[in-house]
Amino acid sequence: MKKQVVILVTKQFFKKAFSNKGFLVLLAVFLVVLAYVTVDSWKAFEAHHHVVEHHQESSRKSWEDSPDKHPHRMAHFGTFAFRLQHPLRIFDSGIESYTGNSVFLEAHKQNTANFSEASLSTGLVRFGDLNIAMLLQLILPLIIFFIGYSSVTSEKENRTLKIIYIQGANMKEVLLGKSLGLFLVSSLFFLPAFLSLWSISFLESTSLNDAIVLRIILLTITYILFFLILCCITVIISAKSKNSNKALLSLLGIWLLFFIIIPKTAQVVGNYMYPNLSKIEFRAAIEEEIAKQGDSHNPNDPHFNAIRDSILKANNVTDVKDLPFNYSGFLMSKGEEQSGTIYSKQHKKLIETYKKQNSITNALVFLNPYLAIKNTSMSLSGVDFDTYVSFLLQTEKYRYEQSQYMNNLQMKFISNKASGSEGKVHVVKKEHWKALPKFTYQYISVSETIQNKLVAILTLCIWLLVTLTVMVQFSNRFKII
């Protein structure tokens, strides 16, 4: 293979693209939209960041400023846990618009995440959130198809491909040159997007601890692989087609099938095969399980009466008032332990159902590079399903520790002879509220993210190797005329 020929074909394709005024208009429109989306996403992220920080500080201040009171009342007073968006949400919004970002934490009750952007927006959000990743994943592939659909067929129709072949260039060199030329032309569209992506690491310096630079490097590499695959596929389809019209129709069909129909169908099939419980059904299942095991708030519950009898026997007393600790606090801690275990069990089942639904889409990454880049992009940007589940698990862990902290305070400082929660002898000093650690949301580590999406990343590499193999090893099967 002659490298000079490949480079010559690449230069010829690149120069030819600029001879078309429509291409220049398309590039200008894309860059304007890209600039608008970048600025809008940045403003939305900054606004959300400031709102979350404000409410997080207000919620903590309200917790710490609460007066002296009974620990159990304080446990029901509760507080909020907020999730700060990952800075790369500016690049890819993923499922962020549809998931809540705050959870109210209280004793004996596990609340769901609320205040998603979708719930506070109009129905237009169902059509998708316009962001940089969406432009690169859906719009730019269509542009690549339109630019490259006639890359080889036009040479056939003009009879110039035969002349190129007679002059010493084989089909393999032509295909590689056209693919490289198309990639360079498409780089005029995605390089400005990468510039926006990399600017996040410089302007959001506080996020460097989360290895944001490594995430951006991986995003850049995977998107380059994706665009190389698209360019190779475009040139192969153009070379296999008899004329430009058939090449364009074939590429549009591929775009509709791989980018629209398959992803939507996979979601529908997943929901049909693995139906999940509704919010009411999920809560009812938990309440039913708790009712079977025992209710810590019911003084006549046989399960907790048995625990009381065993505690009295172990401490050689006949009345809970004679115990060296507050029995009500102990009872509440056991009830919290029970309800927390039941909730975790039911929540795990629900998450497994969602994972089974997503497994249909994850399995199709082998056949669809769009799904591979979409899943990888969301995961590296910290806006995927795994990230949301991690937030829910962290909030539940914190809620449980908060409730047990209050129960321990009750056991230690409240007398067994207390007949209620009113009065100075039945309260705990407010200094103990400040001693409770603040909730700090931790992003999923980069190593765990790579592990979760390793199959998708390897799939992109395999797709590129397959398309290059087709061009190199089977180029003699492509017709010149």
Side-chain angles (χ1 to χ4, degrees):
M1 183 177 65
K2 301 176 183 179
K3 294 182 180 178
Q4 296 84 353
V5 176
V6 175
I7 295 174
L8 185 62
V9 174
T10 300
K11 290 181 178 179
Q12 184 268 341
F13 185 92
F14 189 79
K15 291 180 180 179
K16 186 178 179 180
F18 283 90
S19 64
N20 188 340
K21 294 182 180 180
F23 167 78
L24 298 176
V25 173
L26 183 62
L27 177 61
V29 172
F30 183 87
L31 294 179
V32 169
V33 174
L34 176 63
Y36 168 77
V37 169
T38 302
V39 173
D40 184 67
S41 298
W42 203 293
K43 288 182 177 179
F45 170 77
E46 290 292 335
H48 178 273
H49 188 80
H50 292 312
V51 168
V52 168
E53 281 191 332
H54 170 72
H55 287 291
Q56 199 167 33
E57 292 176 0
S58 298
S59 177
R60 182 65 185 186
K61 187 175 184 301
S62 176
W63 171 270
E64 294 182 353
D65 291 345
S66 293
D68 302 345
K69 64 174 64 176
H70 194 282
H72 195 66
R73 292 184 63 188
M74 191 64 183
H76 281 289
F77 175 77
T79 186
F80 283 90
F82 293 89
R83 176 169 58 103
L84 286 172
Q85 292 179 341
H86 196 284
L88 289 178
R89 195 261 187 226
I90 300 170
F91 175 77
D92 190 342
S93 61
I95 64 172
E96 284 286 288
S97 299
Y98 308 96
T99 56
N101 51 54
S102 66
V103 179
F104 180 61
L105 310 177
E106 60 178 321
H108 311 307
K109 188 176 182 181
Q110 296 82 6
N111 297 300
T112 57
N114 295 311
F115 304 113
S116 65
E117 293 181 22
S119 65
L120 303 175
S121 304
T122 64
L124 292 176
V125 75
R126 297 180 180 178
F127 292 95
D129 185 18
L130 188 61
N131 52 71
I132 302 174
M134 181 181 178
L135 293 178
L136 296 182
Q137 294 172 11
L138 284 176
I139 307 302
L140 185 52
L142 195 59
I143 293 174
I144 291 175
F145 289 164
F146 273 107
I147 295 175
Y149 78 94
S150 63
S151 56
V152 180
T153 54
S154 62
E155 303 285 1
K156 291 180 182 180
E157 293 167 347
N158 296 331
R159 306 293 180 179
T160 54
L161 184 59
K162 186 176 181 181
I163 297 174
I164 295 174
Y165 181 77
I166 293 174
Q167 291 177 342
N170 57 40
M171 198 63 178
K172 176 169 54 178
E173 295 165 346
V174 172
L175 294 178
L176 289 175
K178 295 286 187 180
S179 299
L180 184 56
L182 181 57
F183 178 75
L184 291 178
V185 171
S186 63
S187 68
L188 299 175
F189 292 84
F190 66 73
L191 284 180
F194 287 167
L195 180 63
S196 301
L197 173 63
W198 277 94
S199 65
I200 298 173
S201 64
F202 298 104
L203 297 178
E204 293 294 331
S205 58
T206 57
S207 61
L208 290 177
N209 293 331
D210 191 47
I212 188 173
V213 173
L214 180 56
R215 289 176 178 268
I216 291 176
I217 291 174
L218 293 172
L219 278 170
T220 303
I221 293 173
T222 52
Y223 270 98
I224 287 176
L225 290 174
F226 178 61
F227 294 133
L228 281 170
I229 293 169
L230 292 179
C231 292
C232 291
I233 290 176
T234 302
V235 172
I236 291 173
I237 295 298
S238 181
K240 291 292 292 183
S241 302
K242 293 182 179 180
N243 53 60
S244 298
N245 291 335
K246 289 186 177 181
L248 180 58
L249 288 175
S250 298
L251 290 170
L252 288 178
I254 290 174
W255 186 83
L256 286 172
L257 179 64
F258 282 79
F259 291 76
I260 305 297
I261 297 176
I262 290 180
K264 296 298 182 182
T265 303
Q267 293 176 2
V268 173
V269 172
N271 293 338
Y272 177 78
M273 292 180 61
Y274 306 103
N276 58 277
L277 296 177
S278 65
K279 184 176 180 179
I280 296 178
E281 291 172 335
F282 176 70
R283 181 59 61 183
I286 295 175
E287 296 296 336
E288 182 180 356
E289 190 69 21
I290 291 177
K292 290 180 181 179
Q293 295 194 19
D295 184 3
S296 60
H297 287 76
N298 182 5
N300 299 317
D301 185 86
H303 173 75
F304 286 96
N305 282 344
I307 294 178
R308 179 198 61 195
D309 294 340
S310 64
I311 292 296
L312 293 175
K313 183 178 181 181
N315 288 271
N316 295 318
V317 295
T318 57
D319 196 321
V320 294
K321 293 182 179 180
D322 299 324
L323 290 173
F325 54 85
N326 184 275
Y327 176 73
S328 295
F330 173 79
L331 192 64
M332 291 300 103
S333 68
K334 288 298 180 181
E336 191 67 57
E337 181 180 340
Q338 172 194 275
S339 62
T341 301
I342 293 174
Y343 174 82
S344 298
K345 178 182 177 181
Q346 294 294 333
H347 187 256
K348 185 178 180 180
K349 288 182 179 180
L350 183 64
I351 296 302
E352 287 300 322
T353 301
Y354 285 128
K355 287 183 176 180
K356 288 179 180 179
Q357 293 177 357
N358 294 334
S359 66
I360 305 298
T361 301
N362 294 333
L364 290 175
V365 298
F366 294 102
L367 303 176
N368 192 341
Y370 165 69
L371 291 177
I373 189 62
K374 182 180 180 181
N375 292 347
T376 304
S377 179
M378 287 195 300
S379 186
L380 290 173
S381 299
V383 291
D384 63 335
F385 177 73
D386 293 331
T387 302
Y388 179 63
V389 171
S390 175
F391 168 69
L392 296 180
L393 295 177
Q394 289 180 48
T395 55
E396 171 54 22
K397 182 176 181 294
Y398 182 83
R399 186 206 66 81
Y400 179 79
E401 293 175 350
Q402 171 185 284
S403 298
Q404 294 296 49
Y405 176 78
M406 292 297 142
N407 291 328
N408 289 333
L409 289 179
Q410 181 175 348
M411 292 173 62
K412 184 177 180 180
F413 295 108
I414 303 300
S415 171
N416 273 318
K417 298 179 181 180
S419 58
S421 59
E422 302 294 337
K424 293 183 178 181
V425 297
H426 304 146
V427 300
V428 172
K429 295 293 184 180
K430 61 183 295 185
E431 286 76 14
H432 292 286
W433 316 151
K434 296 181 180 180
L436 179 70
K438 297 180 180 179
F439 173 77
T440 304
Y441 172 59
Q442 299 293 331
Y443 299 115
I444 295 179
S445 65
V446 179
S447 58
E448 185 178 351
T449 298
I450 295 175
Q451 184 178 357
N452 292 339
K453 299 303 175 185
L454 184 60
V455 173
I457 296 173
L458 292 177
T459 299
L460 290 173
C461 297
I462 293 172
W463 265 90
L464 181 59
L465 290 175
V466 169
T467 52
L468 289 175
T469 301
V470 170
M471 285 195 295
V472 174
Q473 298 297 327
F474 302 98
S475 58
N476 57 341
R477 299 187 181 184
F478 292 94
K479 295 181 179 180
I480 299 175
I481 56 175

PDB file of all heavy atoms in Angstrom, residues 30-31 34 38 91 132-133 135-136 140 187-199:
ATOM      1  N   PHE A  30     -23.865  24.442  12.684  1.00  0.00           N
ATOM      2  CA  PHE A  30     -23.516  23.487  13.740  1.00  0.00           C
ATOM      3  C   PHE A  30     -22.712  24.164  14.847  1.00  0.00           C
ATOM      4  O   PHE A  30     -22.964  23.942  16.038  1.00  0.00           O
ATOM      5  CB  PHE A  30     -22.716  22.325  13.145  1.00  0.00           C
ATOM      6  CG  PHE A  30     -22.380  21.248  14.139  1.00  0.00           C
ATOM      7  CD1 PHE A  30     -23.263  20.205  14.383  1.00  0.00           C
ATOM      8  CD2 PHE A  30     -21.175  21.264  14.836  1.00  0.00           C
ATOM      9  CE1 PHE A  30     -22.965  19.211  15.307  1.00  0.00           C
ATOM     10  CE2 PHE A  30     -20.867  20.286  15.759  1.00  0.00           C
ATOM     11  CZ  PHE A  30     -21.762  19.251  15.991  1.00  0.00           C
ATOM     12  N   LEU A  31     -21.762  25.002  14.459  1.00  0.00           N
ATOM     13  CA  LEU A  31     -20.927  25.671  15.452  1.00  0.00           C
ATOM     14  C   LEU A  31     -21.728  26.673  16.277  1.00  0.00           C
ATOM     15  O   LEU A  31     -21.492  26.834  17.486  1.00  0.00           O
ATOM     16  CB  LEU A  31     -19.751  26.377  14.765  1.00  0.00           C
ATOM     17  CG  LEU A  31     -18.732  25.455  14.084  1.00  0.00           C
ATOM     18  CD1 LEU A  31     -17.638  26.275  13.425  1.00  0.00           C
ATOM     19  CD2 LEU A  31     -18.136  24.475  15.086  1.00  0.00           C
ATOM     20  N   LEU A  34     -23.723  24.600  18.659  1.00  0.00           N
ATOM     21  CA  LEU A  34     -22.803  24.069  19.659  1.00  0.00           C
ATOM     22  C   LEU A  34     -22.456  25.137  20.698  1.00  0.00           C
ATOM     23  O   LEU A  34     -22.441  24.855  21.907  1.00  0.00           O
ATOM     24  CB  LEU A  34     -21.531  23.564  18.983  1.00  0.00           C
ATOM     25  CG  LEU A  34     -20.418  23.054  19.900  1.00  0.00           C
ATOM     26  CD1 LEU A  34     -20.891  21.840  20.685  1.00  0.00           C
ATOM     27  CD2 LEU A  34     -19.162  22.722  19.094  1.00  0.00           C
ATOM     28  N   THR A  38     -23.467  24.859  24.629  1.00  0.00           N
ATOM     29  CA  THR A  38     -22.412  24.876  25.633  1.00  0.00           C
ATOM     30  C   THR A  38     -22.664  25.955  26.689  1.00  0.00           C
ATOM     31  O   THR A  38     -22.591  25.688  27.897  1.00  0.00           O
ATOM     32  CB  THR A  38     -21.044  25.117  24.972  1.00  0.00           C
ATOM     33  OG1 THR A  38     -20.795  24.094  23.992  1.00  0.00           O
ATOM     34  CG2 THR A  38     -19.932  25.118  26.008  1.00  0.00           C
ATOM     35  N   PHE A  91     -21.388  18.512  29.585  1.00  0.00           N
ATOM     36  CA  PHE A  91     -21.145  17.846  28.301  1.00  0.00           C
ATOM     37  C   PHE A  91     -22.269  16.869  27.959  1.00  0.00           C
ATOM     38  O   PHE A  91     -22.780  16.866  26.840  1.00  0.00           O
ATOM     39  CB  PHE A  91     -19.803  17.116  28.360  1.00  0.00           C
ATOM     40  CG  PHE A  91     -19.494  16.297  27.137  1.00  0.00           C
ATOM     41  CD1 PHE A  91     -19.053  16.911  25.971  1.00  0.00           C
ATOM     42  CD2 PHE A  91     -19.635  14.914  27.151  1.00  0.00           C
ATOM     43  CE1 PHE A  91     -18.775  16.156  24.845  1.00  0.00           C
ATOM     44  CE2 PHE A  91     -19.363  14.162  26.035  1.00  0.00           C
ATOM     45  CZ  PHE A  91     -18.924  14.779  24.874  1.00  0.00           C
ATOM     46  N   ILE A 132     -24.191  18.879  24.455  1.00  0.00           N
ATOM     47  CA  ILE A 132     -23.086  18.654  23.526  1.00  0.00           C
ATOM     48  C   ILE A 132     -23.037  17.199  23.079  1.00  0.00           C
ATOM     49  O   ILE A 132     -22.833  16.895  21.895  1.00  0.00           O
ATOM     50  CB  ILE A 132     -21.756  19.054  24.184  1.00  0.00           C
ATOM     51  CG1 ILE A 132     -21.800  20.515  24.627  1.00  0.00           C
ATOM     52  CG2 ILE A 132     -20.591  18.837  23.231  1.00  0.00           C
ATOM     53  CD1 ILE A 132     -20.586  20.957  25.422  1.00  0.00           C
ATOM     54  N   ALA A 133     -23.213  16.264  24.017  1.00  0.00           N
ATOM     55  CA  ALA A 133     -23.150  14.845  23.687  1.00  0.00           C
ATOM     56  C   ALA A 133     -24.232  14.454  22.680  1.00  0.00           C
ATOM     57  O   ALA A 133     -24.000  13.644  21.786  1.00  0.00           O
ATOM     58  CB  ALA A 133     -23.291  14.001  24.953  1.00  0.00           C
ATOM     59  N   LEU A 135     -25.488  16.351  20.346  1.00  0.00           N
ATOM     60  CA  LEU A 135     -25.046  16.822  19.022  1.00  0.00           C
ATOM     61  C   LEU A 135     -24.031  15.857  18.418  1.00  0.00           C
ATOM     62  O   LEU A 135     -24.068  15.568  17.212  1.00  0.00           O
ATOM     63  CB  LEU A 135     -24.434  18.214  19.143  1.00  0.00           C
ATOM     64  CG  LEU A 135     -25.375  19.365  19.522  1.00  0.00           C
ATOM     65  CD1 LEU A 135     -24.587  20.660  19.637  1.00  0.00           C
ATOM     66  CD2 LEU A 135     -26.479  19.524  18.480  1.00  0.00           C
ATOM     67  N   LEU A 136     -23.127  15.339  19.261  1.00  0.00           N
ATOM     68  CA  LEU A 136     -22.091  14.443  18.762  1.00  0.00           C
ATOM     69  C   LEU A 136     -22.627  13.044  18.484  1.00  0.00           C
ATOM     70  O   LEU A 136     -22.124  12.356  17.590  1.00  0.00           O
ATOM     71  CB  LEU A 136     -20.946  14.364  19.771  1.00  0.00           C
ATOM     72  CG  LEU A 136     -20.175  15.664  20.040  1.00  0.00           C
ATOM     73  CD1 LEU A 136     -19.040  15.401  21.024  1.00  0.00           C
ATOM     74  CD2 LEU A 136     -19.627  16.262  18.753  1.00  0.00           C
ATOM     75  N   LEU A 140     -24.225  14.838  14.534  1.00  0.00           N
ATOM     76  CA  LEU A 140     -22.988  14.741  13.762  1.00  0.00           C
ATOM     77  C   LEU A 140     -22.915  13.473  12.912  1.00  0.00           C
ATOM     78  O   LEU A 140     -22.440  13.531  11.769  1.00  0.00           O
ATOM     79  CB  LEU A 140     -21.777  14.843  14.698  1.00  0.00           C
ATOM     80  CG  LEU A 140     -20.410  14.885  13.999  1.00  0.00           C
ATOM     81  CD1 LEU A 140     -20.377  15.956  12.920  1.00  0.00           C
ATOM     82  CD2 LEU A 140     -19.295  15.122  15.013  1.00  0.00           C
ATOM     83  N   SER A 187     -13.782  16.355  11.779  1.00  0.00           N
ATOM     84  CA  SER A 187     -13.073  16.921  12.935  1.00  0.00           C
ATOM     85  C   SER A 187     -13.347  18.420  13.084  1.00  0.00           C
ATOM     86  O   SER A 187     -13.242  18.969  14.181  1.00  0.00           O
ATOM     87  CB  SER A 187     -11.573  16.674  12.813  1.00  0.00           C
ATOM     88  OG  SER A 187     -11.023  17.414  11.735  1.00  0.00           O
ATOM     89  N   LEU A 188     -13.705  19.060  11.981  1.00  0.00           N
ATOM     90  CA  LEU A 188     -14.057  20.482  12.059  1.00  0.00           C
ATOM     91  C   LEU A 188     -15.318  20.685  12.892  1.00  0.00           C
ATOM     92  O   LEU A 188     -15.547  21.772  13.436  1.00  0.00           O
ATOM     93  CB  LEU A 188     -14.265  21.050  10.655  1.00  0.00           C
ATOM     94  CG  LEU A 188     -13.057  20.991   9.717  1.00  0.00           C
ATOM     95  CD1 LEU A 188     -13.452  21.477   8.327  1.00  0.00           C
ATOM     96  CD2 LEU A 188     -11.910  21.828  10.265  1.00  0.00           C
ATOM     97  N   PHE A 189     -16.114  19.636  13.009  1.00  0.00           N
ATOM     98  CA  PHE A 189     -17.347  19.702  13.800  1.00  0.00           C
ATOM     99  C   PHE A 189     -17.099  19.293  15.253  1.00  0.00           C
ATOM    100  O   PHE A 189     -17.616  19.927  16.171  1.00  0.00           O
ATOM    101  CB  PHE A 189     -18.414  18.782  13.193  1.00  0.00           C
ATOM    102  CG  PHE A 189     -18.921  19.228  11.859  1.00  0.00           C
ATOM    103  CD1 PHE A 189     -18.241  18.897  10.689  1.00  0.00           C
ATOM    104  CD2 PHE A 189     -20.073  19.996  11.754  1.00  0.00           C
ATOM    105  CE1 PHE A 189     -18.703  19.305   9.450  1.00  0.00           C
ATOM    106  CE2 PHE A 189     -20.550  20.414  10.514  1.00  0.00           C
ATOM    107  CZ  PHE A 189     -19.861  20.063   9.363  1.00  0.00           C
ATOM    108  N   PHE A 190     -16.326  18.196  15.461  1.00  0.00           N
ATOM    109  CA  PHE A 190     -16.212  17.691  16.828  1.00  0.00           C
ATOM    110  C   PHE A 190     -15.045  18.276  17.624  1.00  0.00           C
ATOM    111  O   PHE A 190     -15.057  18.217  18.861  1.00  0.00           O
ATOM    112  CB  PHE A 190     -16.159  16.153  16.860  1.00  0.00           C
ATOM    113  CG  PHE A 190     -14.960  15.515  16.236  1.00  0.00           C
ATOM    114  CD1 PHE A 190     -13.718  15.550  16.852  1.00  0.00           C
ATOM    115  CD2 PHE A 190     -15.074  14.812  15.036  1.00  0.00           C
ATOM    116  CE1 PHE A 190     -12.617  14.920  16.297  1.00  0.00           C
ATOM    117  CE2 PHE A 190     -13.975  14.191  14.471  1.00  0.00           C
ATOM    118  CZ  PHE A 190     -12.741  14.248  15.108  1.00  0.00           C
ATOM    119  N   LEU A 191     -14.040  18.835  16.960  1.00  0.00           N
ATOM    120  CA  LEU A 191     -12.943  19.439  17.718  1.00  0.00           C
ATOM    121  C   LEU A 191     -13.400  20.633  18.564  1.00  0.00           C
ATOM    122  O   LEU A 191     -12.966  20.775  19.718  1.00  0.00           O
ATOM    123  CB  LEU A 191     -11.808  19.846  16.779  1.00  0.00           C
ATOM    124  CG  LEU A 191     -10.932  18.697  16.253  1.00  0.00           C
ATOM    125  CD1 LEU A 191      -9.839  19.233  15.340  1.00  0.00           C
ATOM    126  CD2 LEU A 191     -10.324  17.904  17.403  1.00  0.00           C
ATOM    127  N   PRO A 192     -14.265  21.514  18.050  1.00  0.00           N
ATOM    128  CA  PRO A 192     -14.794  22.576  18.926  1.00  0.00           C
ATOM    129  C   PRO A 192     -15.570  22.025  20.120  1.00  0.00           C
ATOM    130  O   PRO A 192     -15.538  22.610  21.208  1.00  0.00           O
ATOM    131  CB  PRO A 192     -15.703  23.381  17.993  1.00  0.00           C
ATOM    132  CG  PRO A 192     -15.149  23.141  16.628  1.00  0.00           C
ATOM    133  CD  PRO A 192     -14.681  21.728  16.650  1.00  0.00           C
ATOM    134  N   ALA A 193     -16.254  20.893  19.915  1.00  0.00           N
ATOM    135  CA  ALA A 193     -16.971  20.264  21.031  1.00  0.00           C
ATOM    136  C   ALA A 193     -15.979  19.738  22.067  1.00  0.00           C
ATOM    137  O   ALA A 193     -16.211  19.853  23.279  1.00  0.00           O
ATOM    138  CB  ALA A 193     -17.858  19.134  20.516  1.00  0.00           C
ATOM    139  N   PHE A 194     -14.874  19.160  21.598  1.00  0.00           N
ATOM    140  CA  PHE A 194     -13.835  18.693  22.514  1.00  0.00           C
ATOM    141  C   PHE A 194     -13.191  19.862  23.255  1.00  0.00           C
ATOM    142  O   PHE A 194     -12.791  19.731  24.412  1.00  0.00           O
ATOM    143  CB  PHE A 194     -12.767  17.912  21.754  1.00  0.00           C
ATOM    144  CG  PHE A 194     -13.220  16.550  21.302  1.00  0.00           C
ATOM    145  CD1 PHE A 194     -12.479  15.828  20.385  1.00  0.00           C
ATOM    146  CD2 PHE A 194     -14.381  15.987  21.798  1.00  0.00           C
ATOM    147  CE1 PHE A 194     -12.883  14.574  19.968  1.00  0.00           C
ATOM    148  CE2 PHE A 194     -14.809  14.741  21.382  1.00  0.00           C
ATOM    149  CZ  PHE A 194     -14.062  14.022  20.465  1.00  0.00           C
ATOM    150  N   LEU A 195     -13.096  21.000  22.578  1.00  0.00           N
ATOM    151  CA  LEU A 195     -12.564  22.202  23.234  1.00  0.00           C
ATOM    152  C   LEU A 195     -13.459  22.607  24.401  1.00  0.00           C
ATOM    153  O   LEU A 195     -12.969  22.958  25.482  1.00  0.00           O
ATOM    154  CB  LEU A 195     -12.451  23.340  22.219  1.00  0.00           C
ATOM    155  CG  LEU A 195     -11.901  24.670  22.747  1.00  0.00           C
ATOM    156  CD1 LEU A 195     -10.471  24.493  23.239  1.00  0.00           C
ATOM    157  CD2 LEU A 195     -11.953  25.742  21.654  1.00  0.00           C
ATOM    158  N   SER A 196     -14.768  22.533  24.182  1.00  0.00           N
ATOM    159  CA  SER A 196     -15.717  22.816  25.270  1.00  0.00           C
ATOM    160  C   SER A 196     -15.580  21.795  26.391  1.00  0.00           C
ATOM    161  O   SER A 196     -15.637  22.135  27.584  1.00  0.00           O
ATOM    162  CB  SER A 196     -17.149  22.805  24.730  1.00  0.00           C
ATOM    163  OG  SER A 196     -17.324  23.767  23.715  1.00  0.00           O
ATOM    164  N   LEU A 197     -15.378  20.541  26.005  1.00  0.00           N
ATOM    165  CA  LEU A 197     -15.229  19.473  26.989  1.00  0.00           C
ATOM    166  C   LEU A 197     -13.985  19.692  27.850  1.00  0.00           C
ATOM    167  O   LEU A 197     -14.041  19.601  29.079  1.00  0.00           O
ATOM    168  CB  LEU A 197     -15.154  18.123  26.271  1.00  0.00           C
ATOM    169  CG  LEU A 197     -14.830  16.901  27.122  1.00  0.00           C
ATOM    170  CD1 LEU A 197     -15.914  16.671  28.162  1.00  0.00           C
ATOM    171  CD2 LEU A 197     -14.667  15.659  26.235  1.00  0.00           C
ATOM    172  N   TRP A 198     -12.867  19.997  27.216  1.00  0.00           N
ATOM    173  CA  TRP A 198     -11.617  20.173  27.955  1.00  0.00           C
ATOM    174  C   TRP A 198     -11.626  21.446  28.792  1.00  0.00           C
ATOM    175  O   TRP A 198     -10.930  21.531  29.811  1.00  0.00           O
ATOM    176  CB  TRP A 198     -10.439  20.184  26.984  1.00  0.00           C
ATOM    177  CG  TRP A 198      -9.999  18.804  26.636  1.00  0.00           C
ATOM    178  CD1 TRP A 198     -10.383  18.050  25.562  1.00  0.00           C
ATOM    179  CD2 TRP A 198      -9.102  17.974  27.385  1.00  0.00           C
ATOM    180  NE1 TRP A 198      -9.789  16.823  25.595  1.00  0.00           N
ATOM    181  CE2 TRP A 198      -8.990  16.747  26.695  1.00  0.00           C
ATOM    182  CE3 TRP A 198      -8.394  18.163  28.566  1.00  0.00           C
ATOM    183  CZ2 TRP A 198      -8.191  15.716  27.171  1.00  0.00           C
ATOM    184  CZ3 TRP A 198      -7.593  17.124  29.033  1.00  0.00           C
ATOM    185  CH2 TRP A 198      -7.497  15.914  28.330  1.00  0.00           C
ATOM    186  N   SER A 199     -12.392  22.437  28.371  1.00  0.00           N
ATOM    187  CA  SER A 199     -12.443  23.676  29.149  1.00  0.00           C
ATOM    188  C   SER A 199     -13.059  23.451  30.520  1.00  0.00           C
ATOM    189  O   SER A 199     -12.802  24.214  31.459  1.00  0.00           O
ATOM    190  CB  SER A 199     -13.235  24.743  28.385  1.00  0.00           C
ATOM    191  OG  SER A 199     -14.598  24.354  28.244  1.00  0.00           O
TER     192      SER A 199
END
